[in-house]
């Protein structure tokens, strides 16, 4: 056993050296977002009655409850301020933790670098242990700094502490999930995908559970993100709920080490099966499809499930509105149908944001194909550069469109079955399709960046995060309109609903086209990166 | 190519490189690590763009006419990276078709000769087997020019032998090969002409016979009297005198003067070791160090 962990300290140093910018940047980002939200809310809702009004509005708007979860104590300033932090940002920081764990375990193994390390005086379990130490440390640091930031912004100390502890425990729990995913799969991409899928399921389970009138409430208790809500920071401070994520971590981490012990370096749990001796692939697009297909299939299944559930609970949302103050708003929104539409439009907006992430990760393959040397092999044949690049971005565009089509049809089906009105399928599908161009812009952005700087495709993720933050917090922080207009998502038509801005479709498509053309042209004139 | 210059950022990697490869020859391309061999090949493929210099490849411009030229050539990269989820057979067929087709018979015979299992997934191949996949993919198509970047690194001696047979067949067909390599015996056995590159410049280029001519013969002789000034003779180096016995390494041009001087001193015994390219190469390689 002594041998298994030898060298962990050295690997921790290596990981910290590789991530010396990444970890501080992300930790700083999350801490800053939490702190800003706290100060902005303190300024915005100075007295209790304004807070109660705001909290009641949120609690009675199903779209917001599904997205963020309910506010457990309407009088609490902290609970109102942290509404977006408890579920959405806990999920996002979990994404970061998954990426970090996979980056230092499976992805290293896949590139063969771990072999270089593993041949040194390094125990078999050391890389995994080092990754978990680093990521656990990052989670703890993030939780601690967030607690300090919130307390500094004027929120109650004990609430701030339990909030920070909740973030840290959630991050740790998903780090453990990623550790297991990294052992079970054979590629970094697949491990990340598995980890993200668990996060998405956890987020979705609590969304359904939180709409207790519409769905089974116990689902929230199956989800680490639901646990983080149930800690109820600033609304009861239930420290004891922290036992759940910590217990899950305590189960998953030893499991990941046990899996690691049972397999060889480079292999997953499943053995590679022999494949065909003769290939049918004969074009760059065929190759790109072959490479992107597994990811797209997984996303298709996930989107269909999520969208169907969302669609089938949509009609219940009007029933949730028991507060008398809401009657007027309902009227303004065009009665119960208007309210359902608003919920559906919000869900489809969320879908287009999520599907844009698929677009980015699919098209980012251009960068990984190039750095892995695969592009060199293809471009040394008679395949010209632009068709090779276009095969990847066309598939990313098509994938985005397909996923939104799937989301639209299944949301429509769910809703149509629930209300017994088959015309809803077409109506909602059209509404989903109208969201495609915004997600295309992000694909275009990645291509434009990659065309000039082949190693900078991560800029696409940075812009994506920025757009989400601006959309979420722009109003709260009082950002000027033109800053918020940078985000393509603000220009998508809001359908179904009365005042869709259809011109956005044209503009967004043109911007995406210009970015794609520019990026591809730049790629044609530059050196291939090795 | 004439006067080829390539920078990566501020560092100048190719410095006025001149290289010519005649049609139908097997040309060896040698040089220490980091000399610029791979960079040169990637420029010839239009994957990198030269900063200055003029080039003709099969009558075309490597950057502008890349696609048309690539139909007529095949390339084996130095670092073979296969797609982890594609089988070797699929990769061979894909690359062959992208180049404009491969010959099924040749593909089958190559797979047999290299004892390659084409049903394995890319990530399951050993280094040598990855190399074989790339070799089969390149050699199975009927092209005029083969650009091979250290093609035998990772191959076992039997497979290397197989590779040499194959290159000799290729030469018989009148095809052209540019082969970068660190294996001198391979270059010596295969190549008609050789270029040696160092720090981005070609420092020597010629047929094997010409290079041998440049290489030095080691001469040792027992003399009755050792004449003065042997070390000052042109083309004579590293003279060591031990009593009656001298040893020296001698260029071709120094041979006659040395012999004349030695016979004046009365030779009782003489041995000469034939010039090896190894020594010549090592000399060029070592000059890379300051
Ligand atoms: N993308 C790049 N960016 C910066 N420098 C590079 C890049 N590619 C190559 N170099 C540098 O160019 C020089 C020549 O590299 P090259 O790969 O051509 O050498 P080589 O002769 O093939 O060496 P080896 O025998 O090790 O394969 C090296 O000093 C290398 O560090
Ligand atoms: Mg090289």
């Amino acid at each position: 056993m002594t041998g298994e962990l030898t060298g962990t300290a050295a690997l921790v140093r290596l990981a910290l050296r590789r991530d010396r910018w990444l970890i501080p940047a992300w930790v700083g980002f999350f801490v800053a977002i939490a702190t800003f939200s706290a100060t902005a809310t303190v300024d915005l809702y100075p007295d209790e009655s304004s807070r109660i009004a705001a909290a009641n509005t949120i609690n009675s708007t199903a779209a917001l409850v599904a997205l963020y979860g309910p506010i457990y104590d309407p009088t609490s300033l902290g609970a109102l301020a942290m509404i977006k932090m408890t579920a959405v940002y806990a999920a996002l920081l979990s994404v970061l933790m998954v990426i970090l764990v996979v980056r230092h375990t499976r992805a290293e193994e896949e590139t063969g670098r771990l072999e270089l390390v593993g041949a040194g005086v390094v125990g078999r379990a050391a890389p995994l242990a080092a990754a978990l130490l680093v990521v656990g440390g990052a989670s703890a640091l993030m939780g601690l700094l967030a607690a300090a930031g919130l307390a500094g912004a004027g929120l109650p100390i004990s609430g701030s502490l339990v909030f920070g502890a909740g973030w840290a425990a959630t991050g740790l729990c998903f780090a453990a999930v990623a550790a297991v995913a990294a052992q079970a799969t054979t590629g970094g991409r697949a491990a990340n995908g598995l980890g993200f899928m668990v996060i998405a399921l956890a987020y979705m389970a609590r969304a359904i559970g939180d709409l207790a009138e519409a769905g089974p409430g116990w689902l929230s208790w199956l989800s680490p993100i639901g646990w983080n809500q149930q800690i109820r920071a600033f609304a009861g401070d239930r420290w004891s709920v922290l036992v759940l994520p910590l217990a899950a971590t305590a189960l998953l981490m030893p499991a990941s080490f046990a899996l690691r012990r049972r397999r060889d370096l480079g292999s997953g749990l499943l053995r590679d099966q022999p494949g065909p001796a003769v290939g049918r692939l004969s074009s760059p697009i065929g190759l790109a499809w072959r490479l992107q297909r597994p990811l797209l299939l997984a996303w298709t299944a996930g989107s269909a499930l999520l969208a169907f559930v969302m669609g089938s609970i949509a009609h219940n949302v009007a029933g949730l509105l028991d507060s008398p103050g809401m009657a007027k708003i309902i009227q303004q929104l065009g009665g119960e149908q208007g309210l359902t539409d608003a919920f559906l439009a919000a869900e489809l907006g969320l879908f287009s944001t999520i599907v844009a992430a698929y677009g980015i990760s699919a098209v980012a393959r251009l960068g990984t194909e190039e750095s892995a040397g695969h592009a060199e092999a293809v471009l040394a044949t008679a395949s010209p550069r632009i068709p090779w690049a276009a095969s990847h971005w066309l598939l990313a565009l098509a994938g985005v469109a397909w996923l939104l089509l799937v989301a639209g049809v299944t949301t429509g089906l769910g809703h149509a079955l629930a209300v017994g009105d088959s015309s809803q399928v077409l109506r909602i599908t059209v509404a989903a399709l109208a969201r495609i161009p915004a997600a295309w812009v992000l694909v275009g952005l990645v291509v434009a960046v990659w065309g000039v700087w082949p190693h900078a495709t991560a800029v696409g993720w940075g812009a994506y995060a920025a757009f989400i933050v601006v959309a979420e917090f722009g109003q709260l922080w009082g950002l000027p309109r033109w800053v918020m207009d940078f985000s393509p998502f603000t220009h998508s038509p809001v359908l179904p609903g009365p005042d869709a801005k259809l011109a956005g479709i044209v503009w967004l498509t043109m911007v995406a086209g210009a970015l794609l053309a520019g990026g591809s042209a730049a790629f044609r004139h530059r050196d291939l990166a090795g | 190519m004439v006067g080829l210059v390539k920078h990566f950022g501020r560092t100048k990697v190719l410095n006025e490189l001149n290289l010519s490869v005649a049609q139908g020859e097997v040309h060896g391309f040698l040089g220490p690590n980091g000399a610029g061999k791979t960079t040169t090949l990637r420029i010839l493929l239009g994957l990198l763009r030269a900063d200055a210099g003029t080039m003709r490849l099969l009558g075309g411009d490597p950057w502008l006419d890349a696609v048309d030229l690539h139909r007529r050539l095949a390339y084996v990269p130095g670092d073979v990276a296969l797609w982890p989820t594609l089988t070797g057979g699929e990769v061979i067929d894909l690359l062959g078709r992208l180049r404009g087709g491969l010959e099924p018979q040749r593909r089958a015979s190559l797979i047999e000769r290299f004892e390659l299992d084409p049903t394995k997934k890319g990530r399951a191949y050993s280094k040598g087997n990855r190399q074989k996949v790339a070799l089969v993919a390149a050699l199975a198509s009927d092209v005029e020019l083969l650009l091979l970047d250290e093609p035998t690194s990772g191959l076992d001696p039997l497979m290397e032998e197989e590779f040499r047979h194959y290159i000799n067949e290729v030469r018989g067909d009148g095809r052209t090969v540019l082969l970068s390599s660190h294996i001198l015996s391979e270059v010596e056995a295969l190549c008609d002409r050789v270029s040696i590159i160092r720090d981005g410049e070609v420092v020597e280029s010629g047929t094997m016979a010409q290079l041998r001519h440049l290489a030095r013969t080691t001469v040792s002789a027992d003399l009755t009297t050792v004449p003065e000034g042997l070390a000052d003779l042109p083309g004579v180096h590293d003279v060591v005198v031990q009593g009656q016995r001298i040893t020296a390494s001698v260029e071709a041009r120094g041979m006659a003067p040395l012999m004349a001087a030695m016979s004046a001193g009365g030779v009782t015994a003489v041995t000469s070791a034939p010039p090896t390219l190894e020594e010549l190469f090592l000399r060029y390689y070592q000059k890379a160090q300051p």
Side-chain angles (χ1 to χ4, degrees), chain A residues 4-29:
Chain A
E4 293 241 303
L5 291 172
T6 314
T8 304
L11 291 180
V12 166
R13 277 197 299 279
L14 174 67
L16 290 177
R17 167 67 180 70
R18 283 184 68 207
D19 288 346
R20 69 193 188 288
W21 300 118
L22 191 73
I23 291 180
W26 277 106
V27 169
F29 168 80

Side-chain angles (χ1 to χ4, degrees), chain B:
Chain B
M1 42 170 66
V2 177
L4 201 64
V5 177
K6 177 71 195 173
H7 294 86
F8 283 117
R10 288 233 192 94
T11 42
K12 198 171 197 175
V13 171
L14 296 186
N15 185 10
E16 310 253 323
L17 180 113
N18 304 316
L19 176 71
S20 72
V21 178
Q23 198 176 346
E25 76 179 4
V26 177
H27 195 107
F29 197 28
L30 290 127
N33 293 132
K37 302 180 293 294
T38 302
T39 307
T40 308
L41 291 177
R42 298 179 95 217
I43 289 176
L44 284 174
L45 283 160
L47 299 173
L48 302 179
R49 192 174 199 168
D51 298 328
T54 51
M55 283 176 282
R56 297 311 275 172
L57 179 71
L58 302 173
D61 179 304
W63 179 263
L64 296 174
D65 309 324
V67 173
D68 290 328
L69 292 177
H70 291 177
R71 274 186 242 287
R72 299 161 59 196
L73 62 81
Y75 170 56
V76 174
D79 277 323
V80 176
L82 301 178
W83 290 272
T85 53
L86 265 58
T87 64
E90 286 178 300
V91 172
I92 292 169
D93 289 334
L94 170 70
L95 294 178
R97 288 192 191 120
L98 288 174
R99 198 177 291 118
L102 43 72
E103 295 182 1
Q105 276 159 12
R106 195 182 296 201
R107 176 190 189 274
S109 93
L110 277 165
I111 286 182
E112 197 184 303
R113 285 170 72 168
F114 282 119
E115 295 171 14
L116 178 70
D117 174 3
T119 64
K120 273 196 188 172
K121 294 275 167 67
R123 60 169 159 255
Y125 281 115
S126 66
K127 176 177 163 66
N129 282 323
R130 277 202 301 276
Q131 193 77 34
K132 289 184 203 167
V133 171
L135 273 172
V136 173
L139 301 179
S141 23
D142 185 19
V143 290
E144 297 162 47
L145 171 66
L146 291 170
L147 298 176
L148 311 175
D149 194 358
E150 299 183 34
T152 55
S153 69
L155 293 193
D156 67 40
L158 274 177
M159 292 303 131
E160 207 181 308
E161 192 55 36
E162 207 52 63
F163 171 77
R164 289 185 190 184
H165 278 308
Y166 202 82
I167 293 298
N168 280 323
E169 285 170 32
V170 165
R171 190 208 319 264
D173 298 345
R175 300 199 262 163
T176 312
V177 180
L178 175 57
L179 171 131
S180 100
S181 178
H182 289 300
I183 303 169
L184 300 170
S185 59
E186 175 178 284
V187 173
E188 215 169 342
L190 285 177
C191 298
D192 306 313
R193 290 205 311 137
V194 174
S195 294
I196 301 173
I197 176 176
R198 202 185 65 223
D199 295 336
E201 282 178 81
V202 169
V203 288
E204 202 58 69
S205 188
T207 63
M208 295 310 279
Q210 284 168 336
L211 288 187
R212 259 193 210 101
H213 200 66
L214 289 172
R216 297 168 186 175
T217 311
T218 308
V219 174
S220 48
D222 293 333
L223 308 175
T224 36
T225 52
V226 178
E228 291 292 308
L230 280 183
D232 300 329
L233 292 173
V236 178
H237 307 269
D238 310 331
V239 178
V240 179
V241 182
Q242 285 175 311
Q244 302 291 97
R245 185 179 180 81
I246 68 151
T247 53
S249 75
V250 189
E251 289 175 39
R253 68 191 170 102
M255 202 55 91
L258 179 70
M259 286 303 162
M262 287 199 311
S263 16
V267 186
T268 54
V270 67
T271 56
S272 85
T276 66
L277 284 175
E278 199 122 350
E279 285 171 44
L280 178 71
F281 292 139
L282 286 180
R283 223 166 66 224
Y284 280 116
Y285 276 39
Q286 275 158 2
K287 277 193 210 155
Q289 270 108 49

Side-chain angles (χ1 to χ4, degrees), chain A residues 231-393:
Chain A
I231 290 172
R232 302 196 180 178
F234 306 105
D237 295 349
R238 302 201 287 193
W239 285 92
S240 56
V241 179
L242 280 171
V243 169
L244 290 171
L246 293 179
T249 309
L251 284 176
L252 288 169
M253 281 199 184
S256 70
F257 283 101
L259 288 173
R260 176 66 192 90
R261 233 167 278 133
R262 283 187 41 186
R263 68 176 183 87
D264 293 334
L265 190 70
S267 70
L269 287 182
L270 302 172
R271 286 255 153 260
D272 270 327
Q273 299 299 315
V278 181
R280 283 177 309 166
L281 296 176
S282 58
S283 62
I285 191 117
L287 173 64
W289 169 238
R290 174 73 182 271
L291 297 174
Q292 294 195 11
R293 190 175 56 192
L295 187 66
L296 186 62
L297 289 182
W299 271 79
T300 304
S303 311
L305 182 65
L306 181 58
F308 184 80
V309 172
M310 288 300 176
S312 47
I313 61 175
H315 70 290
N316 288 333
V317 300
L320 295 179
L321 300 167
D322 40 15
S323 88
M326 286 304 288
K328 213 171 76 192
I329 301 176
I330 298 179
Q331 229 112 69
Q332 277 169 358
L333 287 171
E336 290 199 359
Q337 181 61 48
L339 209 67
T340 307
D341 281 353
F343 177 80
L344 288 169
E347 291 307 333
L348 293 177
L350 178 67
F351 267 116
S352 76
T353 314
I354 296 176
V355 165
Y358 167 79
I360 295 174
S361 67
V363 81
R365 212 177 241 282
L366 280 173
T368 50
E369 283 286 289
E370 189 175 349
S371 61
H374 298 153
E376 181 176 357
V378 172
L379 294 176
T381 69
S383 163
R385 285 194 179 197
I386 295 222
W388 171 76
S391 65
H392 279 278
W393 58 249

